[in-house]
Amino acid sequence: MKNTSRSRTILYFNNMILTPLYLLFLLTTSLFPIFCNSYTPTENITVACGSSDNTTAPDGREWVADIVPNYLSLLEQKHNSSIPSPAQRPSPQASFVPYLKARISLSDFTYVFSVTAGQKFIRLHFYPYIYQNFDPSKAFFSVKANKFILLNNFSASLTAASLGSESSDYLFKEFCINIEDEDQTLNLTFTPSSTPSDAHAFINGIEIVSMPTNLYYTPAEAQDGITFIGYEQTPIRIENNTALETVHRLNVGGSEISPVEDTGMFRSWNDDSGYVSNIGALPVNHSFEVLFTKVPNYTAPAQVYMTARSMGNNKTVNKNYNLTWNLPVDSGFTYLVRLHFCEFQVEVTKQSDREFTIFIADKTAEPQADVIVWAGRNHVPFCRDYAVMVSQGRDQKKQNLSIALHPNPESTTVYSDAILNGVEVFKLSDYSGNLAGLNPDPVPPPASPSTPQPANTGKQKTTPVAAVVGGVLSGVVALCVLALLIFRQRRRDKESGFGKSSYTAKKHDKMSGPLLPSDLCRRFSFAEIKTATDNFNGDLIIGRGGFGDVYKGCTDDGTTQVAIKRLKQGSQQGAHEFETEIEMLSQLRHLHLVSLIGYCNDEGEMILVYEYMSRGTLRDHLYGSDYPSLPWKRRLEICIGSARGLKYLHDDAKHRIIHRDVKTTNILLDDKWVAKVSDFGLSKANSNLAANTAISTVVKGSFGYLDPEYFRRQRLTEKSDVYSFGVVLLEVLCAKSPVNRTALERDQVSLAAWARKCYQNGTLDQIIDPHLSGKIEPECLKRFAEIAMKCLDDEGTKRPPMNEVAWTLEFALELQEGKKEGIKTDGADVEFKERDLNCQIGPVGSDDGQVSTSGVTMTSDGGTSFTTDGSDKMSSGAVFSEIMNTSGR
């Protein structure tokens, strides 16, 4: 399966040692409509890097030397830091251009291409081999294309080895980027990594090929985006500020399609046999004319639509399994999945002949797929696009992205079957323009053959008994040694002050404290943290608080942006919350909760590491900053996401968890505006299975958000979070601080009290954010205000649970969009919709700050965090996860 494995990186010219007959066939493909080029690219640049002469490849394409014309930057031409070099003893598989030579360097070098504006394919070809005594295992480098990071600390050797191929095998990476109108220059910069010290960069070949506008991008005039699996109400758009990497391009059920057989863009289409877990049937039909009436004829070669995989005609068998493809992808990215369909089987000609369900990443993408309905008739190609997020995973560099088909019941379809003709999967760049994944782990060398043992004879009948006795004795000795080691380790832990679940920081020369399971949380050394923050460079501070500073940093050789909280040494309050936050977040995984990447408890330091949240806090976008006003629909979506996160804490986590500090500065936003609840330093786990069971505890929280019943009775329940969330809803609606000490009228100091009075008087519209004036549908506003007031009820038992809050907000969003009318949301007849709340990993950030004053802890937004000792007297204390000045994150 060597070629199949190699196709994971879309290997080029698979074993193409062309015979003259095949070459003649390629040169005359224009005579065959099935192989005709349907698109002529504006740019079709092929560069043989390190070569001094133009060379024609076996497929007839001419590759030009990189110095004729000179594509190297003027700076590179001046300093000549890179050198051309032939490959020493190239393998037969790489004995043709562009793999014969390479450009290689120990320092940066850049190629500059003047191109027209528009969307382009970029293909980078690599042949990891020895060039002038450069060790290919030392080739670690990054590649940047204008503002996009295509590769980071990339190793072609490790990549080739992970594909099941020999180190001599070649490979290429394909990307799609847009060249802006005002730019029209493509700069490709190759930068050796900092480690090892003799790391170098190299490149064998570069292709730049224009693509049809919006082949994979969302047209600007399009009203809708791409269905986002799991978040169908918020489709996404792939716009020109996004780059793509081709991860898989498969001709399902057919053979490989070479670049010259593509529709003019020189794409490679691999066979799918290495990825499909249930082979199914292989229908083929070359006797019909492919009618490109729904998609352009350059979308995919006609061969793709003439072959397919289906489940066959055994209905009994079909209903018991899924036709499934498992496609390896990098963790932590969003992917575009394009599925190609064409009904060509003679028995399938009309609607409902073949209906099936499509699952992507174990979620329902299409409950009722009918190719005839989509295409209008048979013989007409059609493709469907979906976006899906692959979570960061638990120390998994790669995960399998599954595509599964299952036939619908016989009551809805004639043939209990499913069909698929082609698949394309693209990785989407993140908010920082990064596409780079991690290198695969080194492939261990094959085990040496064991020494043959002599055959048993009659004289050796006692040998098995001796072996058994010896094995038992060895096992006993091993167990004794293991028990001794465990005893010594526990004694050492006890003497060091670290129990099973203690994270109290102590000074040690080496790392101290327990290790969390590697699949839940990563432990960083202090040296790694210093590297990630450039030795705590003050220019990287993105927030300050009573607990210490927050830095923007990068881990894993710059591939992962993170927020790093560093606790001030000696802070006992912060130490307790450090422990709480690790214990909570290391066990929680949900799309709308922050994700803890790791922590450092080394050399007396207490540091938490989260994923970096680019858009900061919700409050940043409501008031007190220069950010533009958020539209109402986006505010509703943020509220819905936050409510889902709290609902998970209250109902779906292993133990019921009460957040205890819900506020707009603890709701963070990622680059796609997905809301995530953060800051678990004050949280309490309630192991009692009964909902709303109170916990006796000292009062902690923030002024303006604090549940008055909790404050009076010091009895904490989930309904305390509901009250705080009601204040959040008012902030979202009114864009006002929960506490305004400069208010001229006494009843306007508390936003909750002011809004409740206005609601009762019918004047709530007078305190709504002026930016929303006339932009909220009356029914939507009615439902939103109703649920906010219910959350703020003085009696906790009368407040709604978070699942009701989440559903009502979803209903308000539907009313805003005019989808539903006249549905009552109060009373016992309400039917609450349970949404898909499967756990996923989401990014993390930090919040605004606190400045400690006498007797209370004042937050920078005018709120106050405090604790009490059971009396009415306030005691000081800084909430650990508060951050000041978060703008610019």
Side-chain angles (χ1 to χ4, degrees):
M1 297 299 293
K2 183 176 178 180
N3 289 342
T4 301
S5 299
R6 191 182 306 160
S7 66
R8 297 174 190 171
T9 319
I10 315 175
L11 296 183
Y12 195 62
F13 297 143
N14 291 286
N15 294 326
M16 189 181 289
I17 306 175
L18 299 174
T19 63
L21 181 60
Y22 183 66
L23 181 58
L24 178 63
F25 170 76
L26 292 178
L27 295 176
T28 58
T29 53
S30 60
L31 300 177
F32 296 88
I34 193 173
F35 296 137
C36 67
N37 287 345
S38 306
Y39 170 75
T40 302
T42 306
E43 269 92 23
N44 183 10
I45 301 172
T46 49
V47 179
C49 302
S51 178
S52 57
D53 301 305
N54 296 351
T55 309
T56 301
D59 63 355
R61 299 178 71 194
E62 184 178 39
W63 291 73
V64 300
D66 59 0
I67 57 173
V68 186
N70 202 328
Y71 289 114
L72 294 169
S73 65
L74 295 177
L75 185 64
E76 174 63 23
Q77 295 178 40
K78 179 179 179 180
H79 295 287
N80 291 323
S81 59
S82 65
I83 59 172
S85 176
Q88 297 183 14
R89 301 184 304 277
S91 69
Q93 291 84 2
S95 60
F96 53 87
V97 70
Y99 302 108
L100 295 171
K101 296 181 180 180
R103 183 161 294 278
I104 191 167
S105 179
L106 292 168
S107 58
D108 299 5
F109 63 95
T110 300
Y111 284 91
V112 180
F113 300 93
S114 296
V115 295
T116 60
Q119 296 151 7
K120 317 288 181 188
F121 285 110
I122 298 175
R123 299 186 185 102
L124 305 177
H125 296 259
F126 302 101
Y127 173 38
Y129 206 63
I130 299 174
Y131 301 93
Q132 293 198 2
N133 297 320
F134 283 97
D135 185 352
S137 67
K138 301 294 183 64
F140 288 88
F141 55 95
S142 301
V143 181
K144 189 173 183 179
N146 291 2
K147 62 181 180 181
F148 298 109
I149 301 172
L150 306 185
L151 300 170
N152 186 68
N153 196 41
F154 172 70
S155 168
S157 295
L158 290 177
T159 303
S162 71
L163 300 175
S165 55
E166 300 172 359
S167 60
S168 61
D169 282 343
Y170 51 88
L171 55 92
F172 79 94
K173 293 277 193 176
E174 180 183 276
F175 306 91
C176 307
I177 72 168
N178 180 69
I179 305 299
E180 300 292 345
D181 292 340
E182 63 272 13
D183 194 351
Q184 299 192 22
T185 298
L186 172 62
N187 297 322
L188 288 175
T189 301
F190 296 77
T191 305
S193 300
S194 56
T195 55
S197 58
D198 54 348
H200 61 273
F202 78 98
I203 180 67
N204 296 87
I206 300 172
E207 285 184 74
I208 301 170
V209 179
S210 300
M211 69 172 69
T213 303
N214 300 324
L215 173 63
Y216 300 116
Y217 287 79
T218 306
E221 65 275 9
Q223 297 295 319
D224 300 322
I226 298 170
T227 299
F228 197 1
I229 305 298
Y231 313 95
E232 285 75 11
Q233 292 183 342
T234 56
I236 69 171
R237 299 173 62 87
I238 301 178
E239 298 179 325
N240 287 336
N241 60 353
T242 301
L244 296 81
E245 178 186 350
T246 308
V247 184
H248 299 282
R249 183 178 285 123
L250 305 178
N251 179 23
V252 174
S255 59
E256 296 179 1
I257 300 174
S258 70
V260 293
E261 295 174 291
D262 189 39
T263 58
M265 290 167 275
F266 303 98
R267 297 169 296 180
S268 294
W269 296 78
N270 297 290
D271 74 81
D272 69 324
S273 58
Y275 306 100
V276 62
S277 59
N278 302 103
I279 299 301
L282 294 170
V284 177
N285 188 350
H286 288 299
S287 63
F288 74 97
E289 179 184 0
V290 181
L291 304 175
F292 287 97
T293 58
K294 288 290 185 178
V295 297
N297 59 358
Y298 51 69
T299 304
Q303 303 100 296
V304 171
Y305 300 112
M306 293 180 171
T307 61
R309 285 191 193 272
S310 70
M311 304 182 74
N313 55 12
N314 191 327
K315 296 182 180 181
T316 303
V317 173
N318 290 355
K319 67 181 181 181
N320 293 322
Y321 85 100
N322 291 340
L323 182 57
T324 305
W325 291 260
N326 289 302
L327 308 175
V329 297
D330 289 328
S331 299
F333 288 90
T334 298
Y335 290 85
L336 165 66
V337 178
R338 172 167 290 184
L339 304 181
H340 296 265
F341 300 97
C342 182
E343 284 287 11
F344 58 72
Q345 290 182 262
V346 293
E347 61 270 22
V348 180
T349 59
K350 60 184 183 299
Q351 180 178 342
S352 298
D353 275 354
R354 174 157 41 196
E355 289 183 1
F356 52 96
T357 303
I358 301 174
F359 303 96
I360 298 179
D362 299 324
K363 295 183 176 65
T364 303
E366 292 287 350
Q368 194 172 1
D370 190 323
V371 181
I372 295 293
V373 171
W374 290 338
R377 56 158 296 178
N378 58 353
H379 300 172
V380 174
F382 192 80
C383 57
R384 298 282 284 190
D385 289 344
Y386 307 91
V388 61
M389 180 169 58
V390 176
S391 59
Q392 185 63 46
R394 298 177 176 180
D395 288 345
Q396 289 179 296
K397 295 181 178 181
K398 284 188 176 292
Q399 299 181 56
N400 277 335
L401 173 61
S402 64
I403 300 171
L405 311 179
H406 186 76
N408 282 2
E410 294 182 49
S411 58
T412 64
T413 182
V414 177
Y415 301 99
S416 295
D417 192 8
I419 188 173
L420 183 62
N421 301 74
V423 177
E424 292 180 274
V425 178
F426 300 88
K427 184 198 301 182
L428 305 184
S429 61
D430 62 19
Y431 58 88
S432 63
N434 176 57
L435 274 169
L438 300 177
N439 282 318
D441 294 325
V443 177
S448 58
S450 58
T451 304
Q453 298 297 319
N456 285 336
T457 65
K459 297 180 181 180
Q460 296 172 319
K461 288 183 179 180
T462 59
T463 302
V465 177
V468 170
V469 173
V472 170
L473 291 175
S474 299
V476 171
V477 172
L479 287 173
C480 292
V481 172
L482 179 60
L484 178 62
L485 290 175
I486 292 174
F487 172 77
R488 293 181 63 184
Q489 181 61 44
R490 287 183 176 177
R491 183 176 180 180
R492 187 181 298 113
D493 288 344
K494 184 175 181 180
E495 292 172 352
S496 301
F498 289 97
K500 182 177 180 180
S501 60
S502 173
Y503 297 89
T504 305
K506 295 182 180 291
K507 290 187 177 181
H508 293 279
D509 293 334
K510 295 184 181 283
M511 292 180 65
S512 57
L515 290 175
L516 286 172
S518 61
D519 62 340
L520 293 179
C521 188
R522 173 177 172 183
R523 181 164 185 166
F524 291 88
S525 67
F526 188 54
E528 288 178 301
I529 296 295
K530 289 198 293 184
T531 300
T533 59
D534 192 19
N535 199 21
F536 298 102
N537 188 334
D539 294 336
L540 297 178
I541 293 177
I542 57 176
R544 297 181 185 275
F547 63 88
D549 296 331
V550 180
Y551 297 81
K552 178 182 177 181
C554 286
T555 64
D556 300 319
D557 294 323
T559 59
T560 304
Q561 287 188 309
V562 293
I564 299 175
K565 292 188 200 177
R566 185 187 191 190
L567 181 72
K568 287 182 178 178
Q569 293 187 352
S571 170
Q572 294 304 311
Q573 175 75 7
H576 173 71
E577 292 169 7
F578 175 77
E579 173 183 341
T580 301
E581 193 135 358
I582 294 178
E583 288 179 340
M584 291 289 183
L585 279 182
S586 63
Q587 301 177 59
L588 297 176
R589 290 295 185 270
H590 190 272
L591 173 66
H592 295 292
L593 300 182
V594 298
S595 237
L596 182 68
I597 294 177
Y599 71 101
C600 173
N601 192 8
D602 187 4
E603 300 182 22
E605 296 281 350
M606 291 182 289
I607 297 170
L608 296 175
V609 181
Y610 308 92
E611 286 193 48
Y612 175 72
M613 296 289 280
S614 63
R615 298 193 186 274
T617 72
L618 172 57
R619 183 172 301 180
D620 291 339
H621 298 274
L622 295 176
Y623 55 87
S625 71
D626 295 330
Y627 288 117
S629 175
L630 288 178
W632 177 240
K633 179 182 176 183
R634 178 150 288 160
R635 298 190 199 196
L636 276 175
E637 292 168 344
I638 291 170
C639 290
I640 291 169
S642 306
R644 288 177 177 174
L646 290 172
K647 188 264 183 191
Y648 172 79
L649 292 177
H650 291 179
D651 299 335
D652 301 327
K654 182 179 180 181
H655 299 292
R656 295 179 183 275
I657 294 174
I658 305 171
H659 187 278
R660 229 177 12 160
D661 201 17
V662 176
K663 54 185 177 180
T664 50
T665 51
N666 286 340
I667 296 173
L668 306 181
L669 305 171
D670 69 7
D671 61 305
K672 295 181 175 61
W673 298 99
V674 176
K676 304 178 188 293
V677 179
S678 70
D679 188 353
F680 290 78
L682 299 182
S683 298
K684 276 284 187 180
N686 184 358
S687 58
N688 195 310
L689 297 179
N692 304 317
T693 304
I695 305 173
S696 296
T697 178
V698 295
V699 177
K700 291 186 179 181
S702 298
F703 272 147
Y705 298 92
L706 188 70
D707 171 14
E709 185 178 61
Y710 168 42
F711 178 69
R712 292 192 305 267
R713 302 177 60 191
Q714 299 180 37
R715 301 283 287 173
L716 179 68
T717 73
E718 296 96 307
K719 295 300 181 71
S720 299
D721 283 350
V722 175
Y723 182 93
S724 302
F725 191 71
V727 180
V728 169
L729 295 179
L730 293 182
E731 281 187 88
V732 169
L733 180 64
C734 303
K736 292 178 174 59
S737 173
V739 177
N740 181 10
R741 291 179 175 78
T742 63
L744 299 179
E745 299 184 29
R746 183 182 181 87
D747 60 359
Q748 295 181 7
V749 173
S750 166
L751 177 61
W754 186 18
R756 189 184 294 117
K757 179 180 179 180
C758 291
Y759 180 76
Q760 294 169 350
N761 296 338
T763 59
L764 183 63
D765 59 312
Q766 296 179 12
I767 66 171
I768 291 176
D769 184 357
H771 292 100
L772 301 178
S773 178
K775 297 180 181 179
I776 307 178
E777 293 295 325
E779 277 298 312
C780 173
L781 177 59
K782 177 183 177 183
R783 299 299 181 185
F784 187 90
E786 282 178 355
I787 197 64
M789 292 303 120
K790 286 184 178 181
C791 291
L792 296 172
D793 198 290
D794 282 337
E795 295 185 43
T797 57
K798 294 183 179 180
R799 298 170 198 154
M802 282 309 304
N803 65 335
E804 180 179 342
V805 177
W807 184 88
T808 305
L809 292 172
E810 292 170 359
F811 179 64
L813 177 60
E814 292 173 346
L815 289 173
Q816 178 68 21
E817 297 177 330
K819 293 181 179 178
K820 291 188 177 181
E821 297 179 357
I823 300 179
K824 295 182 180 180
T825 58
D826 12 68
D829 296 331
V830 177
E831 179 182 355
F832 294 108
K833 300 178 181 177
E834 287 298 332
R835 302 296 182 182
D836 182 8
L837 293 175
N838 290 334
C839 298
Q840 295 190 32
I841 294 178
V844 172
S846 313
D847 305 336
D848 65 8
Q850 299 175 329
V851 182
S852 182
T853 63
S854 177
V856 293
T857 303
M858 304 293 296
T859 63
S860 61
D861 56 15
T864 308
S865 293
F866 61 93
T867 64
T868 76
D869 57 6
S871 66
D872 292 334
K873 182 180 179 181
M874 299 289 183
S875 61
S876 62
V879 178
F880 174 74
S881 294
E882 292 286 318
I883 301 173
M884 294 179 60
N885 187 24
T886 57
S887 60
R889 284 189 300 169

